[in-house]
Amino acid sequence: MTATQQDLVRLDDIRDAAARISGLVVRTPLLPCPWADELWLKPESLQPIGAFKLRGATNALHRLDLDHRQAGVVTHSSGNHGQALAYAGRALGIPVTVVMPDVSTPLKIEATRGYGAEVVLVPQASRETVAKQFVAERGMTLIPPYDHPDIIAGQGTVGLEIFEDLSNVDVVVVPVGGGGLSSGVATAIKALAPHVAVIGVEPAVAADAAESLAAGVVRIWPEQRMLSTVADGLRTPLSELTLAHLTAHLDAIVTVAEDEILDAVRVLARRGRLIAEPSGAAATAAVLHHRDELPAGRTVAVVSGGNIDPRLAATLFTD
């Protein structure tokens, strides 16, 4: 079903989400970067579960009534949303099951289990189908990673905080996977300051969002093609809901190469003193390697997550 303007999250929804998640979610700072001209970082890697996903998950669980809380929730996730839902579910006393692709990094699988969730590993293409089976068989509530207004509103609190801390910001750069974070951030920023440019970033080898925005419909790329990017959090397609948000609010989308993403991981560690996973470094990669494609001025890059695979980190930080 095609999303309409009436389906879009509003600024008031994001402000309500900010009130709900206060106390369970870290209000991350803006970090100035003296090593890059007019750049600030929004380090969502500093959240307790290492990624921005905690915002949307906490907001969505807070919105459930008692009966749905007792029945529990299920989701499908490559890792960060699953960890976020597990963490928030433990805090709120809500049982959580996470259906994860069997190619997920062991770090994310074990972390999700560590927060008390039941983890079910399945092939990448089966994760949504299996999650829906749990809904049908157990009466659980599905909390998708991004295709839900409560998730988008929660992620939009990143945009609220950016504007509160740097009201004269000119450009906000945010990674695009399924589109929940970019939809929420773009909604908040454009409502508060329509003149600020919001730029999405995705891997060139998994540029389905750019194609979808150009076509005006969701384009689904082959699984093997999406798996070719090291940025595992950016392998998911847009939904009709996130496409509608990005069509309404995103100014442009930039694609980055795999080596540019990995270079940004190194730079963030060595110069920014931040551990970022590849997905989390994508926005910074655009600033470092594609500045000529971005509008000029005071720029905030969202570092969306820091749950890097230790095996990958070992290859990047050996010299």
Side-chain angles (χ1 to χ4, degrees):
M1 183 181 295
T2 302
T4 67
Q5 287 292 320
Q6 288 72 28
D7 298 319
L8 300 188
V9 167
R10 311 293 178 184
L11 180 60
D12 284 347
D13 299 318
I14 297 172
R15 285 177 166 152
D16 289 344
R20 289 188 200 99
I21 69 177
S22 178
L24 278 177
V25 174
V26 171
R27 191 192 187 289
T28 54
L30 275 190
L31 303 178
C33 301
W35 42 269
D37 186 39
E38 293 193 293
L39 175 64
W40 285 258
L41 301 175
K42 180 65 169 171
E44 287 298 291
S45 52
L46 300 181
Q47 291 295 344
I49 59 92
F52 74 95
K53 294 280 191 178
L54 187 58
R55 296 173 181 268
T58 302
N59 186 51
L61 290 187
H62 263 298
R63 297 268 288 160
L64 295 177
D65 61 28
L66 181 59
D67 287 343
H68 286 94
R69 290 187 182 205
Q70 290 177 339
V73 300
V74 62
T75 195
H76 49 87
S77 169
S78 62
N80 284 339
H81 176 65
Q83 290 181 67
L85 204 64
Y87 183 95
R90 185 175 68 178
L92 297 173
I94 300 173
V96 173
T97 296
V98 182
V99 181
M100 298 182 70
D102 51 16
V103 295
S104 299
T105 63
L107 176 72
K108 293 181 178 180
I109 294 170
E110 291 310 311
T112 305
R113 286 184 175 136
Y115 295 129
E118 176 189 6
V119 173
V120 179
L121 298 177
V122 300
Q124 171 85 3
S126 302
R127 66 184 202 174
E128 291 189 40
T129 301
V130 173
K132 290 175 182 177
Q133 288 174 353
F134 278 94
V135 172
E137 296 168 3
R138 300 188 186 180
M140 306 176 87
T141 298
L142 178 66
I143 307 291
Y146 54 89
D147 189 26
H148 195 289
D150 291 341
I151 296 293
I152 293 171
Q155 319 306 26
T157 59
V158 171
L160 280 185
E161 294 174 10
I162 289 172
F163 189 76
E164 288 169 359
D165 290 350
L166 191 69
S167 60
N168 61 349
V169 62
D170 297 304
V171 187
V172 175
V173 188
V174 59
V176 181
L181 175 64
S182 48
S183 292
V185 169
T187 297
I189 293 295
K190 288 298 186 180
L192 292 164
H195 65 279
V196 176
V198 183
I199 310 297
V201 182
E202 67 179 342
V205 297
D208 60 301
E211 185 176 304
S212 297
L213 285 164
V217 295
V218 175
R219 298 291 199 196
I220 307 296
W221 282 24
E223 177 186 345
Q224 284 306 119
R225 193 171 181 184
M226 298 299 283
L227 288 174
S228 66
T229 179
V230 69
D232 63 318
L234 306 182
R235 292 170 177 165
T236 48
L238 299 181
S239 68
E240 295 288 351
L241 183 61
T242 56
L243 176 62
H245 281 83
L246 296 182
T247 299
H249 302 304
L250 197 70
D251 289 285
I253 192 162
V254 172
T255 61
V256 290
E258 296 298 286
D259 60 339
E260 294 169 346
I261 293 172
L262 295 177
D263 179 63
V265 172
R266 295 187 192 95
V267 171
L268 285 169
R270 292 170 177 166
R271 308 198 72 176
R273 278 70 176 178
L274 289 173
I275 299 301
E277 60 191 282
S279 304
T284 306
V287 176
L288 295 176
H289 296 281
H290 297 267
R291 194 76 192 224
D292 59 337
E293 298 178 42
L294 304 177
R298 293 168 291 270
T299 300
V300 173
V302 178
V303 181
S304 57
N307 296 316
I308 190 169
D309 186 337
R311 295 169 298 182
L312 174 62
T315 67
L316 294 176
F317 306 134
T318 53
D319 56 358

